[in-house]
Every structure is written in C-alpha cells, then in structure tokens.
C-alpha cells in the first residue's frame, strides 16, 4: 500500500515526530486525553472513567500532560480543580484519530464469535487501545528514524540505516531495533542484505505527516490558554475543545459496548464518545499467528 503523503524528511521534522511520540507513549496518556476530549472534568469525575488506574498512575499522567501543554489544570477553590484540553490538546485529537485508524486497519486482531450470528469475526478494539498498541511499535528509540529513512529511500542496507537513522552509533547498534521492526511486521528483508517497509509500514506515512503538522504549530507560550499570569475564570478557563461550558459527567456504562469505528480520514474536530473509549476491556492479548503487524 503506497502512502499518499510524504513522511518527514528533515532533521527538524524527525525530531518533532519523536518528541510528540514521547509525549503520547507513556501508557494511559492517550486514554486520559480522550477522557477529557468532550469537556473539562474534576479528578473525581476522571477516575471512574479509568477505573483500572490507581491514584499513583493517574496523577502522574495528568501532570505529564499538563506540563506538555495539552491539558490545563484550573483551580477554582482549594477543593475544586478541573482538568481539560487546551487548544493545543484539542488540535491533537485528529492526530490520535489518524493513529487509531492505522491501528484498526493494520494491527492483528483475534477472531471472536459474533453474539448475533455465532460466526467468527475480527475482534472490535477500542480506538484508545489501537493507539496505544500502535505507539508500542513506533515509539521505541530509533524505530521512527529507521521507518522514516526507509520511507524516503524505499530500500536500504543496514549500513545505510545505521549511518542515516542512527548517526553516532556503530553498525552493530542498528540490528536490534531493525530486527524488532521486522518481527513487528513493519519492515521486511528485501534480499541482498537490504530492507524495505512492509505495506503496513508504508501506510504509516500519513501518521507521521499528521504528527509533523501538529508539531509545527506555534510553541506553547504563544497559546493564549497557556499564557502565564491569567486568572482562572469562575466558570471555565478558556475555549474548551468541544464544549463551551461544564456539563454533568456522563454515567459510567454498566458494561462495555462497541463504539463506532473511526474513518480512515479523521474529522477536523472529532468528538470521542464514551463507547469509543470503553468498547474494549484491557486483557493481555496473545499474538495471533495471522499476518500483519503484531500488537
């Protein structure tokens, strides 16, 4: 499958992609962002939506995302604090949709029995889980530089990949990340010691391009939601992503339900529904023997 957009090709573009992946890669960060995508919430409203996270896991994620400028903490009173997406965080939602779409299309799924017909069909995976699983493949150190180099070259030897994707490292250092990408189904051996992207690896081009476009936006200090010295409003702290004022938190679903699939081309302003987030439990899934990138 050929890509329709070019991946980042400059050192600055590559640095912006890897920096954004570092922002998203810590586990559960994406789940927190998607939980806050509709409206700002208090901590006590976030916690029931992510019941598997202990306080020692949720607080660090909120601090991490707040420090990165994609979540804003607004204190109205000592015991009345809300968290919501900044304008920068809202602009990240289409990027998440692009990653989720890639994961839903290209990552392996188990076959499960349909409740309606009893026939085997691919497992339905929540968008947030697709994103986390995709990030687990492309966020490790050196993975993205190797993928981007192969996007630009089409085919390259290990020596070329070591020189261009991992400058300053010796030739032998490239084999471990390269072997991992081959095992994950994103890179294939091309013969005569060369390597090239698989169809799934080629399809990552729009993902990298979406991240590059987001990272090229003005720095955080120019975001009006993050200017220092502004006093918090008594009703809201800024123009939230999708909801102009606070609304009552939706009830936690009694049981997981399948959410709508994401389109290949993400909407300009996606609204994540509770079913998108909670449509899948979080068991460890074994790798299936079918082809395609592993989860």
């Amino acid at each position: 499958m050929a890509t329709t957009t070019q991946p980042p090709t400059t050192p600055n573009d590559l640095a912006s992609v890897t920096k954004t992946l570092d922002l998203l890669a810590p586990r559960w960060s994406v789940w927190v962002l998607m939980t806050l995508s509709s409206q700002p919430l208090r901590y006590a409203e976030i916690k029931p939506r992510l019941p598997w996270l202990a306080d020692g896991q949720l607080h660090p994620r909120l601090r991490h995302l707040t420090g990165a400028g994609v979540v804003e903490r607004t204190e109205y009173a000592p015991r009345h604090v809300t968290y919501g997406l900044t304008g920068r965080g809202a602009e990240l939602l289409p990027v998440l949709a692009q990653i989720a779409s890639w994961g839903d299309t290209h990552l392996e799924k188990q076959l499960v029995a349909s409740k309606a017909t009893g026939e085997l069909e691919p497992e339905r995976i929540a968008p947030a889980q697709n994103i986390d699983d995709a990030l687990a493949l492309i966020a490790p150190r050196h993975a993205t530089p190797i993928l981007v180099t192969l996007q630009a070259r089409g085919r390259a030897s290990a020596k070329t990949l070591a020189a261009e994707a991992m400058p300053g490292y010796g030739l032998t250092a490239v084999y471990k990340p390269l072997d991992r990408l081959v095992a994950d189904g994103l890179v294939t051996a091309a013969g005569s010691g060369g390597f090239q992207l698989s169809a799934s690896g080629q399809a990552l081009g729009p993902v990298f391009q979406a991240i590059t476009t987001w990272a090229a936006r003005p720095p955080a200090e120019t975001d009006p939601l993050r200017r220092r010295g502004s006093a918090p409003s008594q009703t809201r702290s800024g123009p939230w992503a999708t909801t102009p004022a606070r609304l009552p938190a939706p009830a936690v679903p009694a049981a997981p339900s399948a959410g709508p699939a994401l389109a290949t081309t993400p909407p300009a302003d996606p609204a994540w529904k509770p079913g998108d987030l909670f449509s899948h439990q979080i068991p460890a899934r074994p790798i299936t023997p079918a082809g395609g990138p592993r989860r």
Side-chain angles (χ1 to χ4, degrees):
M1 179 184 299
T3 60
T4 57
T5 56
Q6 291 298 314
T9 56
T10 70
N12 287 340
D13 287 342
L14 184 55
S16 69
V17 171
T18 55
K19 186 175 181 180
T20 303
L21 292 175
D22 288 342
L23 159 66
L24 297 173
R27 199 177 187 194
W28 310 124
S29 296
V30 168
W31 296 79
V32 173
L33 285 171
M34 292 174 66
T35 301
L36 299 175
S37 63
S38 295
Q39 64 188 63
L41 298 170
R42 300 175 74 166
Y43 183 91
E45 296 169 323
I46 301 171
K47 190 68 176 67
R49 289 164 169 75
L50 303 172
W52 55 86
L53 288 183
D55 287 343
Q57 295 175 303
L58 180 54
H59 268 123
R61 288 293 154 268
L62 289 169
R63 286 197 302 268
H64 166 72
L65 296 170
T66 300
V70 293
V71 167
E72 184 175 55
R73 180 184 186 274
T74 303
E75 183 172 338
Y76 300 90
R79 298 181 65 83
H80 187 176
V81 176
T82 63
Y83 297 88
L85 297 186
T86 64
R88 191 89 170 113
E91 292 169 354
L92 189 56
L93 295 180
V95 179
L96 297 182
Q98 186 74 261
I99 301 172
S101 179
W102 181 89
D104 187 56
T105 302
H106 296 281
L107 292 179
E108 291 178 346
K109 300 182 182 71
Q110 293 185 25
L111 293 178
V112 296
S114 169
K115 293 182 179 180
T117 66
E119 297 180 357
L120 292 179
E121 60 181 24
E123 181 184 19
R124 295 289 297 274
I125 308 293
Q129 188 65 51
N130 276 322
I131 296 169
D132 263 1
D133 290 342
L135 292 173
L137 302 184
I138 65 177
R141 193 178 186 189
H142 306 307
T144 291
I146 290 174
L147 292 170
V148 168
T149 300
L150 288 174
Q151 286 273 5
R153 284 187 162 271
R155 186 173 183 172
S157 66
K159 183 177 180 180
T160 298
L161 291 172
E164 297 187 8
M166 300 173 57
Y169 290 82
L171 173 61
T172 56
V174 77
Y175 287 109
K176 185 174 181 179
L178 190 55
D179 288 346
R180 182 181 63 240
L181 291 170
V182 171
D184 288 339
L186 300 178
V187 173
T188 61
S192 303
F195 296 88
Q196 63 187 24
L197 295 178
S198 66
S200 299
Q202 287 283 354
L204 282 167
V207 170
F208 292 142
Q209 186 61 43
I211 295 173
T212 302
T213 301
W214 178 84
R217 300 286 293 177
E221 57 267 21
T222 66
D223 187 334
L225 286 178
R226 303 208 68 228
R227 290 174 185 160
R228 298 182 181 275
S230 58
S233 164
Q234 294 303 307
T235 56
R236 55 177 176 155
S237 62
W240 298 105
T242 56
T243 306
R246 277 181 47 77
L247 299 173
V252 178
S257 61
L262 288 173
T264 302
T265 302
D269 186 16
W272 301 100
K273 299 179 179 61
D276 290 332
L277 187 62
F278 295 102
S279 63
H280 184 67
Q281 297 291 340
I282 314 299
R285 290 188 300 277
I287 303 302
T288 61
R294 3 186 272 191
R295 288 185 181 269

